[in-house]
Amino acid sequence: MFNFKSGLTAVIGMALMGSTMVSDTVEATEVIKLATTTSTDNSGLLRAILPTFEAESGYKVQVIATGTGKALKLARQGDVDVVMTHAPAAEAKFVNEGYGTTPRGIMENDFVVLGPKDDPAKMSGSKDVVEAFKKVATNKSTFISRGDNSGTNMKELAIWKEASVTPDFSGYTSIGQGMGKTLLMADEKQAYTLTDRGTFVAYKSKLDLAITFEGGAALANPYQIMLINAEKYPELNHQGAKALSDWFISPQAQQMINDFKVQGEQLFKATYK
Amino acid sequence: MNEGWLALMQQAFSLLLSLDPDVWSIISVSFSVSFAALIITLIPSIMLGFLLASYQFPGRWFVTNIVQTLQSIPTVVIGLLAYLLLTRNGPLGDLRWLFTQQGMILGQMMICAPVLIALSQAAFSSIDKRAYETSRTLGASWQRAIWTVCRELRVPLLLAVIAAFSRILTEVGCSMMVGGNILHHTRNIPTAIALETSKGDFAQAIALGLVLLILAIVINFAIGSLRGKAMPRSQ
């Protein structure tokens, strides 16, 4: 029995080693590591447009999709070549502290507030999102927060601050997970939540929730692509990063962003001027 | 890493030693949920292990193999199963247990029961069945007779309990899926480590990792000394 076991382990081990050796011999094209947010990845935008860039430039883009906070942290540590996020305040800090260079606003989408179809907090018809949030708190409705330092989470906390509400009322639920999981939980608990429109459209068919508030300047969600300071991390693929950033602002890519639709809806508006 | 390791370790220790309320709430969720799951499954599982070891009945071979298989299923699959049971449109949806501690306990019960059953079955198989029958013929009730056998086998049974407990205390897949990582409610040590790492805040992750590490060391030393005691002395 034991002999059989150790024999099996050896066989599996050899098989694994063999497979890694094979994959190592595959010729490596130049890789660009792009740290970005789950919203661009979940919506399918990058999968739709990056292959064009790869075919034209010969680079291979590896997308690392996480929250804005983590994406900027990876960029700060020089773990990625280029970063694309949507949290203006955190991005300004990132550039001002000398880590990021050449920030370019390439596109925007918007946030919407989702909730149960019968809208128990009666937020639809509020004059702005701050008032809508206040209604959630006074009504003690369940509100699911991502709680993961993502761009969406930072936006949500900024709105609470604006509304001078401390988000610790009885219905406030902080879950530390990505946008998709948050939507599923909001659906399960029939709760309110703040989401980017892209992820909502992508998940729409799975959800029994409605947009209970949308619109207004406070809910605009601009995306920036930033290069990483070559003086701090000379060994990164700066050439590839610059090529990607340049491609994003080209008329062709801007057009592709506008043309990208999920279930017939345009998700992102190209904004580079 | 531009944050020095030393600084991170310092932060981690100070979080633990300063009794940071968030860190300790996470630790207490972890232990209370896993203890509850273990206590509820303990006696039925050991009983079933005893039955499987001591009696021939139709389907015994089948049950034994199912239990063995369940032991090796990844916890995310069990999490998925529990999620589907508890989701609003699922068979147990009316309980509204998804994303609650009750749901987590249910999931962890599904994970630790097979471990307990399989290991206690192995323990009971190692002892002569006549021990049970002798105490029965001496007039002990069946509960009492099983108790006698369990006392005889306390070391392997305790090892089974420790193995089951450490499996549920450290699993992340099922807790994340069924509990939903809600702060102060269903956020336990493994899901918190996953979250803090994804946020890039390593100090809290390291602090919680240390708790698990210390626990693992204590448990392994305990197991080592138990095994040592259980070794038959050479005559």
Side-chain angles (χ1 to χ4, degrees), chain B residues 32-177:
Chain B
S32 58
V33 166
S34 295
F35 263 126
L38 183 74
I39 298 296
I40 298 168
T41 42
L42 189 58
I43 297 199
S45 300
I46 289 184
M47 286 293 176
L48 192 54
F50 178 76
L51 278 182
L52 289 172
S54 316
Y55 291 95
Q56 282 294 354
F57 54 86
R60 166 173 175 255
W61 173 88
F62 179 75
V63 175
T64 304
N65 280 301
I66 286 286
V67 169
Q68 296 284 8
T69 309
L70 284 177
Q71 260 202 109
S72 52
I73 288 185
T75 55
V76 279
V77 177
I78 295 186
L80 179 64
L81 198 66
Y83 189 99
L84 294 174
L85 283 175
L86 296 172
T87 184
R88 273 199 316 154
N89 319 323
L92 301 178
D94 293 340
L95 290 171
R96 289 278 180 274
W97 274 9
L98 192 57
F99 309 127
T100 64
Q101 291 194 354
Q102 291 91 317
M104 280 169 95
I105 291 172
L106 183 77
Q108 296 197 350
M109 283 165 63
M110 289 157 77
I111 294 169
C112 76
V115 179
L116 280 172
I117 296 166
L119 292 176
S120 61
Q121 181 183 351
F124 286 118
S125 303
S126 71
I127 196 170
D128 199 330
K129 204 178 139 196
R130 275 171 301 184
Y132 171 76
E133 278 161 3
T134 310
S135 45
R136 286 291 276 146
T137 46
L138 289 172
S141 63
W142 65 268
Q143 298 96 321
R144 195 147 184 98
I146 290 186
W147 179 241
T148 314
V149 176
C150 287
R151 293 239 345 230
E152 200 58 43
L153 290 170
R154 59 189 177 272
V155 172
L157 286 180
L158 191 58
L159 291 178
V161 170
I162 291 174
F165 185 65
S166 59
R167 180 157 154 94
I168 54 179
L169 191 72
T170 55
E171 69 80 31
V172 64
C174 178
S175 298
M176 189 65 107
M177 223 181 261

Side-chain angles (χ1 to χ4, degrees), chain A residues 35-57:
Chain A
T36 183
T37 69
T38 48
S39 49
T40 48
D41 194 52
N42 285 358
S43 62
L45 172 75
L46 295 177
R47 278 193 300 280
I49 68 172
L50 283 181
T52 311
F53 167 75
E54 288 175 339
E56 286 174 10
S57 67

Side-chain angles (χ1 to χ4, degrees), chain A residues 66-67 69-70 73 76-77 79 99 146-149 172-177 181 184-185 187-190 208 233, chain B residues 1-3 83 86-89 96 98-100 176-177 179-183 185 187 195 197-202:
Chain A
T66 116
K70 175 88 185 275
K73 190 131 193 165
R76 253 171 213 272
Q77 290 167 354
D79 290 332
Y99 289 96
R146 280 180 63 171
D148 63 350
N149 286 0
Y172 189 81
T173 311
S174 170
I175 68 165
Q177 299 201 64
K181 286 244 175 78
L184 293 175
M185 194 186 287
D187 179 55
E188 189 69 40
K189 289 192 175 273
Q190 285 295 298
D208 185 26
Y233 299 107
Chain B
M1 297 294 301
N2 53 7
E3 292 179 283
Y83 189 99
L86 296 172
T87 184
R88 273 199 316 154
N89 319 323
R96 289 278 180 274
L98 192 57
F99 309 127
T100 64
M176 189 65 107
M177 223 181 261
N181 194 27
I182 298 170
L183 184 62
H185 182 49
R187 183 167 302 177
L195 164 68
T197 311
S198 79
K199 285 202 308 200
D201 290 344
F202 295 103

